[in-house]
Amino acid sequence: MAKEVEIEPSWKEVLKEEFGKDYFRTLTDFVKSEYKSAIVYPPPKSIFNAFNLCPFEKIEVVILGQDPYINKGEANGLCFAVGEGVRIPPSLQNIFKEIESDLGKPLVHKTGDLERWAKQGVLLLNAVLTVRAKSSASHQRKGWEEFTDAVIRELSDKREHLVFILWGNYAKAKGAHIDRTKHLVLESAHPSPFAANHGFFGSKPFSKTNAYLTEHNKQPIDWL
């Protein structure tokens, strides 16, 4: 089964046991049937984009999202991100506002393309990696959550001094798989317009992340 999954080589090795499990076979069959019978995002080649841009040993920060975007042209395999030239969704607009407030500097990059973060070691991981168009949560409880829990466990167990950024209750629940004695976990409200004013704005995750990375002799992330 593992050889059928097109994913960056270091991740293929780390997750090879997962790819052989019954739940992942069932998940694979479900996802393939959905792509045949419905409009599903992101495009198939982008499902593992977060992993392909960020090898296992290069990761320094994990940001957890929930589902891919449900509108055409938005989902690209990186949580919260959209491609160059795509309108910036409200949650990402609020993330950008917090970056500018937190770091006290204006954004240099004005698009929603976050590949620049991924290439610095930020794993932009949705808990669920596929979704039906216009149908939020349509691929939840099909196996993706079990897979991404395994991803978080592997990172927690095999790496040291990572930063996990958990926004909202859904992401916080996945934090149960993180060893907080060896990693920094930053939790706050979700950046969506419904929640951002209830603890996301002013939470300063970006400066806190960089302070922790610097403290452990790692390169800070250029969020701007």
Side-chain angles (χ1 to χ4, degrees), residues 7-199:
I7 194 169
E8 192 275 334
S10 66
W11 282 107
K12 182 169 281 193
E13 178 62 26
V14 167
L15 297 171
K16 60 185 177 184
E17 288 187 15
E18 295 304 308
F19 296 141
K21 290 180 178 178
D22 287 345
Y23 88 84
F24 197 85
R25 291 193 183 94
T26 302
L27 170 63
T28 300
D29 290 343
F30 167 75
V31 170
K32 285 179 178 176
S33 70
E34 283 285 280
Y35 275 102
K36 287 177 182 174
S37 62
I39 298 172
V40 175
Y41 301 133
K45 64 178 176 29
S46 299
I47 291 173
F48 294 112
N49 207 16
F51 302 90
N52 294 336
L53 288 168
C54 210
F56 185 79
E57 292 298 332
K58 296 278 181 69
I59 288 172
E60 303 296 352
V61 181
V62 181
I63 296 179
L64 275 177
Q66 190 164 339
D67 286 297
Y69 293 123
I70 59 171
N71 298 314
K72 183 178 180 180
E74 291 185 344
N76 64 4
L78 303 179
C79 72
F80 296 107
V82 291
E84 192 90 27
V86 178
R87 182 188 63 85
I88 298 175
S91 290
L92 186 54
Q93 290 181 29
N94 287 337
I95 289 169
F96 285 170
K97 286 178 187 174
E98 177 63 14
I99 289 173
E100 292 188 327
S101 169
D102 183 3
L103 302 181
K105 296 177 182 177
L107 280 176
V108 175
H109 300 89
K110 301 293 187 183
T111 77
D113 181 359
L114 302 183
E115 283 195 15
R116 65 185 185 277
W117 294 359
K119 290 173 180 175
Q120 294 178 77
V122 181
L123 181 67
L124 295 161
L125 180 66
N126 276 315
V128 176
L129 300 189
T130 55
V131 71
R132 271 196 183 206
K134 305 291 186 183
S135 184
S136 295
S138 51
H139 285 188
Q140 288 183 12
R141 294 179 291 281
K142 302 295 184 183
W144 279 128
E145 293 92 341
E146 190 170 344
F147 175 72
T148 51
D149 281 350
V151 170
I152 294 167
R153 273 196 307 272
E154 290 291 333
L155 285 165
S156 177
D157 292 349
K158 294 179 179 173
R159 298 290 312 281
E160 289 190 346
H161 306 311
L162 302 183
V163 181
F164 292 84
I165 300 176
L166 312 180
W167 290 325
N169 291 333
Y170 193 92
K172 289 175 189 176
K174 292 183 86 69
H177 305 287
I178 303 166
D179 181 349
R180 297 174 189 233
T181 67
K182 56 191 277 203
H183 303 289
L184 176 65
V185 179
L186 299 174
E187 299 181 344
S188 77
H190 195 276
S192 81
F194 304 105
N197 287 315
H198 301 285

Side-chain angles (χ1 to χ4, degrees), residues 205-216:
F206 307 102
S207 61
K208 289 175 181 176
T209 293
N210 282 354
Y212 182 83
L213 294 176
T214 302
E215 178 187 341
H216 292 282

